[in-house]
Structure formats: structure tokens, C-alpha cells
């Protein structure tokens, strides 16, 4: 890959001539990895979802964006609006790095409503001439067209004493009429933390302290925090960096997960159980949640990871957002399901009912590169069931369910080109019950695998040839009786 100089990474799109942008756009549009129904960058690199909200009859979805290439450079917010979280209208770049404080990037943040107006709180990233970082938290007011007006100065100008300049990603929420912001932080001992501020007027923010958890030694930085109450449980989500992998856990470069329990917001104490990963695939990070029109808690993540090169880099772009998921807690466990509105993309229903056997590997009559596939496991006497997607002579993305251990493994070693560096070519999740259903969303270069109606999700990019379209099933030994329901997915916007 070509090396990007610091100067190239911190170039503003406003300073680049139209011809260069047109050439880049043409290169990106021609990429064989372009997705059909996921939010992806028009050019360059997308990372975290930002500013998610349902406000005044519309959804707002933004993402971190470096327009000029597939690298982490000078970040903007690129914004879409939507009526249904399935079809999106681009507004374009909204928060731009155009002040001294955000000279080196408008970093992640969230959306909130105050006095019937929409606002964003975000991190301004500044570097001095010695490349030393300073981070401050800012607010911008958003008008009905999505245009923003930044407040003249930071509302939180610097991290409190005892914390480093890794201080970012404010998530604003309200409780009993009070505004709170929780912010990702690192203490002077280089341990990840979440800090809490409160405000009555959104201009003056009082530092309350750090949220006390049982995770004192749990990575050197916690990015992108989120807090909400769901079905009577308090959830604190964050992305710890610097955890060593442990068995099937924490295998990605950085993690993304949550702790659940009861949060005492006045005393800043969280009584909680273990840290759980939100996703068991290769490419998932920096999720953010919000409440939809019907009051449901929705999560959108970044389908990508920091510090990793991806095959689409060659085509001038990188990454996409995940499909939105509805969160619930059922019997004390977090469930994640695709939003029902995605059903509006379905066309060409095809169904099949039959046995998967050791031999022959059953090739299903239907195939595709953008589809939703529901596999119901009606009977299972097999030791292991193999599900293969996007198959061709050269390629296969393999899902193995091992019946005895109830483990489900995604193997992308034969999927095609791979991101780099990445630990291993498999990701595994252990289910608490026998596998009864897989619901899989396939797009040109991704798979999102929902197991057992929301129990566990594996999200991954796959960089497979267009002609790898087959779907196959077989078993290690014994038989499984399966029902397949497949829909092509079409974004006809
Ligand atoms: C997470 C993150 C955030 C930061 C943003 C910068 O991926 O590092 O902590 O605000 O990306 O693009």
C-alpha cells in the first residue's frame, strides 16, 4: 500500500481540486467490493457512527469520514437523514474541521434534543507543532436541513486533572430532566475510564467523576462509551483497547462490549457482571445506540477496525456501517436482532426444505451476492453442520456449527483477500442453547450472522469475487433437517 505522509492525511477536502475528487470517486464507484444496502463512504474512509437520533420525524445518521483516501486522516462528519433507517438521503459533510480546536479532526460524538432543537456534542482534536494532542468537547446546533452552527467555544475545554488527552467521544443522555455526558478517557496510569459530566443548560458542564466499575485494569483506553437503561437493566457500553485475547474472546485488535447491572448515577457506581463482547465477528467497533420512533433501542456499529488495512483500500475507500439492530434484554440476556424495516428490501423469496448430509455437499439452487438467508435447523443428528456462503471453485465463507460444544465458527480463510494484520482466520461464539436458527445478511463484501434469534452476532467483511455466489450445506457425519428461506435484497432508492 502507498504510504500516506502526514501532510496528505491532514489535507482538507476543500483545498483539493474537483478533478482529483472526481477521479477518486470514479475509482471508488468502480470497486467490486461496493456494498448495496449498507452505508459506506462516497470516497475515502468511514469509521464510527456519530450523532444518531430520531428527531422531528426523521432519523439522522452521521459517520466519521476522511474523504481523500482509505486512511485515518483529517476527520469530518458525513450525515444522512432517513425515514426508515433502511433508505438514506445524503446531506454530505456537516461538521468540518474548520476551527483551531478541531484543526486535526472533528472526532466522534452524539446527538441530543434540547428545547425542541437538535444538537451534537463532539470532540475537537488538535495537534500542536510537536504533534502533542489536545482534546476538547464542543456543541453544535443543527438546523432542519442538517446544517450545523458550532458554539463559539468548547463546553468542556480540557480533561480533568489526573487524565491524559485521550479524552473523547461524548455521549449525551438525559435523566429526570438533567443532561449528562459520558466521555471516554485514560487516566494518568494509562488505564481506560469513562467520565461523567452533568448540565442543566447544555453550556455549563460540571465534572462529576469517573464511573466506578470492577474493571480497574482493563485496557489502556476505553473509546466510544454509551449508557442506557433497557428493560430494567443499566448497560454501559465501551470499546476497551489493549486487552490480550483469551480463548475465543478478545481476538480482534480492539474490543467492543458492555457491562450490565444497576447504575447509581448520583454516586457514579456501577454494580455489574462480566464484560461481554457485542459481536463475535472480525469487523465490529465503536457502536452507538439511540431510541427509534417506536421507542426501541437501536444499535449501529462500524463494520471495521482501527489500525488494519483492508482490501478495498486499493480502490480508494474503506469500511461501512452495520445494519441497525434492535436491542432488548430477555431473561437477563442482551438480544440483538436486525431492524424489521429491513424487510422492505426483500424480493424474490425462495424456500427449500431438506436434509444436509455428509456427502454430497448440497448446492442450493439459488445463489447471490446480496441477500438475506434464514436457515431453520429443524432436526439435527449431525456431529457438525457446515454452511458455506459465497462459494465458487476458489472461494467459500464457512460457518461450522459443532453440535456437542454448541460452538459456531466463522472461517474466512477461503473467502478471498483478507484485512491485515488480523489475528487468525476464524471467530467463534459458544451458544447457550442448541442452534435453531441462523439469519444471515449478505452484501457484496460483508456477512452479518444472527444466531438463535438474536442470541449472538458475527459481523465480518469478506472480500470475495463477484462470481462466488453459491450456497452449500453438508455435515461432518449424520444428518440435519433444514429449512432455507432466502430473499434477494435490493436497495431501490
Ligand atoms: C474510534 C475513534 C474514536 C475517535 C474517532 C476518530 O474508532 O478512535 O475514539 O473519536 O475514532 O476518528
Amino acid at each position: 500500500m502507498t504510504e500516506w505522509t502526514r501532510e496528505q492525511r491532514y489535507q482538507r477536502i476543500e483545498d483539493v481540486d474537483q478533478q482529483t475528487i472526481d477521479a477518486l470517486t470514479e475509482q471508488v464507484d468502480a470497486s467490486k467490493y461496493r456494498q448495496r444496502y449498507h452505508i459506506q463512504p462516497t470516497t475515502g474512509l468511514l469509521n464510527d457512527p456519530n450523532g444518531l437520533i430520531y428527531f422531528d420525524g426523521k432519523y439522522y445518521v452521521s459517520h466519521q469520514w476522511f474523504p481523500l483516501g482509505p486512511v485515518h486522516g483529517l476527520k469530518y462528519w458525513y450525515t444522512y437523514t432517513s425515514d426508515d433507517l433502511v433508505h438514506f438521503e445524503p446531506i454530505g459533510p456537516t461538521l468540518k474541521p474548520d476551527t483551531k480546536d478541531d484543526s486535526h479532526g472533528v472526532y466522534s460524538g452524539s446527538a441530543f434534543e434540547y428545547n425542541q432543537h437538535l444538537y451534537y456534542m463532539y470532540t475537537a482534536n488538535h495537534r500542536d507543532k510537536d504533534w502533542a494532542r489536545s482534546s476538547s468537547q464542543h456543541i453544535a446546533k443543527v438546523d432542519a436541513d442538517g446544517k450545523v452552527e458550532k458554539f463559539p467555544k468548547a463546553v468542556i475545554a480540557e480533561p480533568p486533572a489526573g487524565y491524559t488527552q485521550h479524552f473523547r467521544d461524548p455521549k449525551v443522555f438525559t435523566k429526570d430532566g438533567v443532561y449528562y455526558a459520558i466521555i471516554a478517557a485514560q487516566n494518568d496510569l494509562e488505564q481506560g475510564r469513562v467520565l461523567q459530566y452533568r448540565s442543566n443548560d447544555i453550556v455549563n458542564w460540571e465534572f462529576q467523576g469517573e464511573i466506578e466499575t470492577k474493571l480497574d485494569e482493563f485496557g489502556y483506553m476505553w473509546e466510544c462509551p454509551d449508557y442506557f437503561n433497557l428493560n430494567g437493566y443499566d448497560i454501559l457500553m465501551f470499546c476497551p483497547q489493549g486487552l490480550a485475547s483469551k480463548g475465543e474472546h478478545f481476538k480482534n485488535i480492539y474490543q467492543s462490549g458492555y457491562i450490565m447491572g444497576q447504575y447509581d448515577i448520583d454516586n457514579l457506581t456501577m454494580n455489574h457482571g462480566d464484560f461481554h463482547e457485542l459481536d463475535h465477528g472480525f469487523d465490529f467497533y465503536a457502536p452507538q445506540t439511540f431510541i427509534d420512533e417506536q421507542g426501541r433501542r437501536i444499535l449501529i456499529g462500524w463494520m471495521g477496525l482501527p489500525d488494519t488495512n483492508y482490501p478495498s483500500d486499493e480502490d480508494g475507500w474503506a469500511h461501512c456501517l452495520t445494519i441497525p439492530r434492535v436491542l432488548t434484554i430477555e431473561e437477563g440476556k442482551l438480544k440483538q436482532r436486525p431492524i424489521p424495516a429491513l424487510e422492505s428490501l426483500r424480493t424474490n423469496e425462495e424456500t427449500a426444505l431438506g436434509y444436509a448430509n455428509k456427502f454430497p455437499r448440497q448446492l442450493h439452487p439459488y445463489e447471490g451476492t446480496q441477500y438475506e438467508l434464514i436457515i431453520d435447523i429443524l432436526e439435527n443428528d449431525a456431529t457438525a453442520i457446515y454452511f458455506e456462503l459465497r462459494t465458487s471453485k476458489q472461494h467459500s465463507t464457512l460457518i461450522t456449527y459443532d453440535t456437542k460444544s454448541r460452538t459456531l465458527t466463522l472461517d474466512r480463510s477461503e473467502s478471498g483477500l483478507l484485512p491485515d494484520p488480523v489475528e487468525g482466520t476464524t471467530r467463534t461464539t459458544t451458544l447457550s442453547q442448541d442452534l435453531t436458527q441462523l439469519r444471515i445478511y449478505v452484501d457484496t463484501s460483508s456477512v452479518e450472522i444472527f444466531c438463535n434469534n438474536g442470541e449472538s452476532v458475527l459481523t465480518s467483511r469478506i472480500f470475495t469475487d463477484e462470481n462466488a455466489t453459491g450456497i452449500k450445506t453438508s455435515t461432518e457425519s449424520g444428518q440435519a433437517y433444514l429449512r432455507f428461506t432466502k430473499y434477494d435484497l435490493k436497495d431501490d432508492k
Side-chain angles (χ1 to χ4, degrees):
M1 220 197 83
T2 38
E3 280 303 317
W4 282 65
T5 62
R6 190 176 279 175
E7 202 182 311
Q8 288 169 326
R9 280 176 192 256
Y10 286 87
Q11 217 182 353
R12 305 186 73 238
I13 190 171
E14 293 82 357
D15 298 335
V16 172
D17 61 75
Q18 195 55 43
Q19 228 176 330
T20 307
I21 295 168
D22 290 348
L24 180 59
T25 310
E26 208 174 301
Q27 184 196 4
V28 170
D29 288 348
S31 170
K32 64 179 177 189
Y33 301 124
R34 291 300 273 173
Q35 300 274 66
R36 271 289 181 81
Y37 58 92
H38 285 84
I39 289 183
Q40 60 194 338
T42 52
T43 58
L45 180 140
L46 164 158
N47 57 307
D48 316 359
N50 290 154
L52 309 180
I53 195 166
Y54 179 71
F55 174 76
D56 202 18
K58 270 199 297 216
Y59 291 101
Y60 291 77
V61 174
S62 305
H63 63 75
Q64 285 281 284
W65 187 45
F66 175 60
L68 299 175
V71 292
H72 289 270
L74 183 61
K75 297 289 171 69
Y76 292 64
W77 281 31
Y78 189 100
T79 302
Y80 293 86
T81 56
S82 173
D83 291 331
D84 58 2
L85 289 176
V86 177
H87 304 92
F88 294 92
E89 279 300 316
I91 292 181
T94 47
L95 281 171
K96 302 174 187 171
D98 52 12
T99 68
K100 181 166 180 242
D101 282 359
D102 59 28
S103 60
H104 290 71
V106 180
Y107 276 9
S108 286
S110 54
F112 61 96
E113 187 178 338
Y114 177 72
N115 280 347
Q116 281 103 56
H117 288 287
L118 175 58
Y119 292 86
Y120 293 140
M121 192 185 216
Y122 61 94
T123 300
N125 185 51
H126 174 78
R127 299 273 195 175
D128 69 11
K129 58 179 188 341
D130 302 321
W131 211 243
R133 185 198 297 276
S134 37
S135 302
S136 52
Q137 317 306 326
H138 290 247
I139 289 183
K141 190 172 177 182
V142 188
D143 74 14
D145 301 325
K147 291 210 192 66
V148 300
E149 196 186 325
K150 293 178 179 174
F151 282 16
K153 61 181 180 61
V155 290
I156 302 172
E158 55 188 7
Y163 299 89
T164 73
Q165 291 295 334
H166 287 290
F167 175 57
R168 54 182 173 262
D169 312 337
K171 170 76 195 219
V172 176
F173 59 91
T174 57
K175 196 168 183 215
D176 303 327
V178 178
Y179 283 77
Y180 294 89
I182 52 171
I183 303 181
Q186 177 186 61
N187 67 19
D188 285 343
L189 299 173
E190 298 194 357
Q191 296 166 319
R193 291 291 184 265
V194 176
L195 308 185
Q196 185 174 299
Y197 287 74
R198 56 176 279 162
S199 174
N200 292 313
D201 59 11
I202 76 164
V203 176
N204 299 293
W205 292 83
E206 174 203 346
F207 174 53
Q208 292 186 274
E210 68 178 42
I211 297 182
E212 251 179 68
T213 70
K214 294 176 194 147
L215 303 173
D216 281 341
E217 303 265 351
F218 201 67
Y220 59 81
M221 171 67 187
W222 293 356
E223 297 189 302
C224 302
D226 197 350
Y227 160 79
F228 50 89
N229 184 277
L230 185 63
N231 308 126
Y233 293 86
D234 289 314
I235 293 208
L236 183 67
M237 278 178 17
F238 55 94
C239 296
Q241 299 183 301
L243 301 182
S245 62
K246 221 162 112 192
E248 71 188 41
H249 302 290
F250 309 155
K251 300 229 342 199
N252 293 338
I253 183 165
Y254 304 133
Q255 318 312 323
S256 169
Y258 64 95
I259 49 179
M260 188 162 103
Q262 297 303 322
Y263 181 47
D264 180 339
I265 200 164
D266 299 316
N267 292 309
L268 288 86
T269 47
M270 179 92 188
N271 191 357
H272 63 89
D274 291 342
F275 177 87
H276 296 285
E277 283 170 272
L278 273 158
D279 195 284
H280 301 274
F282 291 90
D283 304 291
F284 183 87
Y285 198 65
Q288 199 179 98
T289 73
F290 64 107
I291 298 283
D292 79 354
E293 189 179 0
Q294 287 153 54
R296 296 176 299 197
R297 177 67 55 178
I298 308 294
L299 175 145
I300 298 178
W302 167 27
M303 209 194 297
L305 287 173
D307 304 337
T308 309
N309 299 311
Y310 280 72
S312 67
D313 293 358
E314 295 296 326
D315 301 337
W317 71 286
H319 312 305
C320 60
L321 298 182
T322 67
I323 56 171
R325 307 174 182 176
V326 181
L327 304 186
T328 53
I329 296 173
E330 294 165 29
E331 288 159 16
K333 297 225 169 98
L334 183 74
K335 302 270 179 190
Q336 306 180 64
R337 299 186 177 95
I339 54 160
L342 283 164
E343 290 169 19
S344 68
L345 296 177
R346 289 175 174 175
T347 62
N348 301 335
E349 177 176 343
E350 292 173 288
T351 56
L353 197 60
Y355 284 95
N357 286 298
K358 179 169 182 186
F359 194 76
R361 271 155 91 210
Q362 191 186 346
L363 178 60
H364 292 275
Y366 40 76
E367 53 179 11
T369 49
Q370 293 93 13
Y371 57 84
E372 176 190 349
L373 177 64
I374 300 169
I375 307 173
D376 293 300
I377 294 91
L378 303 174
E379 282 169 30
N380 178 17
D381 301 320
T383 48
I385 318 175
Y386 303 121
F387 307 95
E388 289 174 79
L389 308 170
R390 300 296 306 273
T391 67
S392 65
K393 279 213 175 88
Q394 292 81 28
H395 293 311
S396 160
T397 295
L398 172 66
I399 302 165
T400 302
Y401 175 63
D402 184 86
T403 307
K404 198 160 160 218
S405 61
R406 289 183 176 145
T407 53
L408 189 119
T409 301
L410 170 66
D411 180 343
R412 67 173 181 184
S413 57
E414 306 282 310
S415 295
L417 298 178
L418 292 172
D420 172 58
V422 173
E423 187 182 325
T425 51
T426 59
R427 290 292 179 269
T428 296
T429 180
T430 301
L431 303 173
S432 66
Q433 320 230 316
D434 293 342
L435 181 69
T436 54
Q437 190 191 64
L438 292 174
R439 187 159 166 204
I440 306 172
Y441 283 81
V442 172
D443 203 344
T444 318
S445 54
S446 67
V447 286
E448 287 159 282
I449 304 165
F450 292 79
C451 311
N452 281 352
N453 193 19
E455 179 181 344
S456 183
V457 195
L458 297 94
T459 297
S460 293
R461 298 301 300 279
I462 49 167
F463 296 91
T464 304
D465 287 350
E466 299 105 302
N467 64 2
T469 54
I471 301 170
K472 290 178 186 167
T473 50
S474 56
T475 64
E476 183 188 51
S477 66
Q479 280 191 331
Y481 191 48
L482 308 174
R483 180 172 55 225
F484 278 71
T485 314
K486 183 212 168 215
Y487 304 90
D488 288 324
L489 296 181
K490 210 170 88 183
D491 189 351
D492 50 7
K493 78 169 174 243

